[in-house]
Amino acid sequence: MTALQNKIDFALIFTAKNANPNGDPLNGNRPRTTSDGLGEVSDVCLKRKIRNRLQAEGHEIFVQMDENNTDGFKDLTDRYNNFLANLTKEERANFISQKACEKWLDVRSFGQVFTFKNKIDPKAKGNPVRGPFTIQSAFSKEPVIVETLKITKSVSGDEKRSDTMGMKHRVNNAVYVTYGSISPQLAEKTGFTNDDATTIKNALVSLFDGDESSARPSGSMQVLKVVWFTHNSKSGQYSSAKVHNSVKVDNDGNVFIEELDGLQPEIIE
């Protein structure tokens, strides 16, 4: 299929209500915040959720979660070596990265560095893949209030003491905004297509479907809008910064878009 020919910019607006949108493991799993008190959801966290949505839709994903493993391989090294075993000697010598992009949607979208132990062909080495899809960390529109609850956990393995005390953190109510782009120049290198872009767009719209957990109860995370700009050329009519800055979001999640001549956004509720 033909690689993506038109530059894409987008904005994603979502809310968190009584949820922990992205816990910080270095801070007791409290919701991530900036030095100014704004809530933050890292770009890595967002890409993890996109991968999960793509995987739920039946697409082959290289970087899978252990608890969401669908191909039976226990880690990336085993998955990579099984992939190499199914390539010809010529493909392992010349086309590893190309074949990886063909096989896995997240590789041709986000890119990948192949640093895994090679047990099949020690001479085979995949070149790093630079993906066309980029997304920024999401930040709340105003400083967040983080509540900490003391909870009782009745799952201790100690026979003498069944109940233990624990902590649970949540953001009361916040609107988060993030921005991203898809580069046609890099799409040509990975084989990323228009259909792939549509698939990613749909994953953003349904980002929190199936993402429920104790930290994020069902309905506590909600996508409000995806604003999708498709330029009329590879280089785009405007810079990504100008397009992103045209999307204004207030503290209540209302979205206002400054008109850019010749660039009409698709707004998905």
Side-chain angles (χ1 to χ4, degrees):
M1 297 182 68
T2 305
L4 182 74
Q5 296 298 304
N6 300 83
K7 178 185 175 183
I8 292 171
D9 287 301
F10 64 87
L12 168 67
I13 302 96
F14 60 91
T15 61
K17 294 184 178 181
N18 297 321
N20 186 345
N22 185 198
D24 184 351
L26 298 180
N27 191 23
N29 207 43
R30 288 173 58 84
R32 292 182 187 274
T33 55
T34 68
S35 58
D36 296 327
L38 297 178
E40 179 178 359
V41 179
S42 73
D43 59 321
V44 174
C45 176
L46 292 171
K47 285 193 284 188
R48 175 71 271 163
K49 295 182 188 302
I50 295 171
R51 281 186 169 99
N52 290 346
R53 290 303 305 143
L54 297 176
Q55 193 174 348
E57 293 297 324
H59 297 281
E60 289 199 74
I61 297 300
F62 180 62
V63 184
Q64 300 181 19
M65 297 177 66
D66 290 341
E67 60 267 31
N68 194 30
N69 183 299
T70 56
D71 59 12
F73 298 108
K74 63 181 182 180
D75 54 33
L76 297 181
T77 297
D78 284 354
R79 186 170 297 119
Y80 181 64
N81 277 280
N82 178 75
F83 161 69
L84 289 181
N86 287 283
L87 298 181
T88 66
K89 186 174 181 180
E90 180 184 2
E91 288 171 338
R92 289 197 296 268
N94 301 295
F95 305 109
I96 289 178
S97 299
Q98 176 186 329
K99 292 296 181 180
C101 288
E102 292 174 3
K103 180 174 179 60
W104 292 300
L105 178 53
D106 60 331
V107 174
R108 68 175 177 269
S109 301
F110 309 143
Q112 184 66 50
V113 178
F114 298 102
T115 58
F116 315 101
K117 187 175 181 180
N118 184 347
K119 303 175 183 178
I120 303 300
D121 185 351
K123 295 182 179 180
K125 184 177 181 181
N127 295 320
V129 176
R130 186 180 172 194
F133 178 93
T134 57
I135 189 168
Q136 303 174 14
S137 292
F139 297 96
S140 64
K141 291 302 299 177
E142 57 184 351
V144 296
I145 298 174
V146 177
E147 287 191 345
T148 297
L149 309 176
K150 289 184 178 180
I151 59 175
T152 302
K153 300 186 292 183
S154 300
V155 293
S156 173
D158 189 340
E159 296 179 359
K160 298 180 181 179
R161 185 180 179 184
S162 59
D163 293 339
T164 59
M165 298 301 294
M167 307 293 281
K168 189 174 183 179
H169 313 283
R170 68 188 184 195
V171 171
N172 278 356
N173 190 2
V175 175
Y176 290 77
V177 183
T178 184
Y179 304 92
S181 300
I182 308 179
S183 163
Q185 290 83 358
L186 293 175
E188 286 185 344
K189 297 181 182 298
T190 68
F192 185 95
T193 66
N194 281 309
D195 286 345
D196 292 334
T198 300
T199 299
I200 292 282
K201 177 173 64 175
N202 293 335
L204 292 173
V205 173
S206 61
L207 192 62
F208 303 110
D209 291 359
D211 189 53
E212 297 86 354
S213 69
S214 174
R216 296 177 301 282
S218 180
S220 64
M221 302 290 298
Q222 179 186 6
V223 173
L224 295 181
K225 284 184 175 65
V226 174
V227 185
W228 195 261
F229 297 87
T230 301
H231 295 253
N232 63 10
S233 64
K234 287 185 177 181
S235 58
Q237 294 124 282
Y238 303 93
S239 70
S240 292
K242 188 173 183 64
V243 176
H244 295 165
N245 288 335
S246 73
V247 181
K248 311 294 184 183
V249 183
D250 67 16
N251 295 340
D252 295 320
N254 298 308
V255 179
F256 309 91
I257 303 173
E258 294 180 358
E259 184 175 349
L260 295 174
D261 187 35
L263 185 61
Q264 184 66 32
E266 177 186 0
I267 304 173
I268 307 160
E269 301 286 345

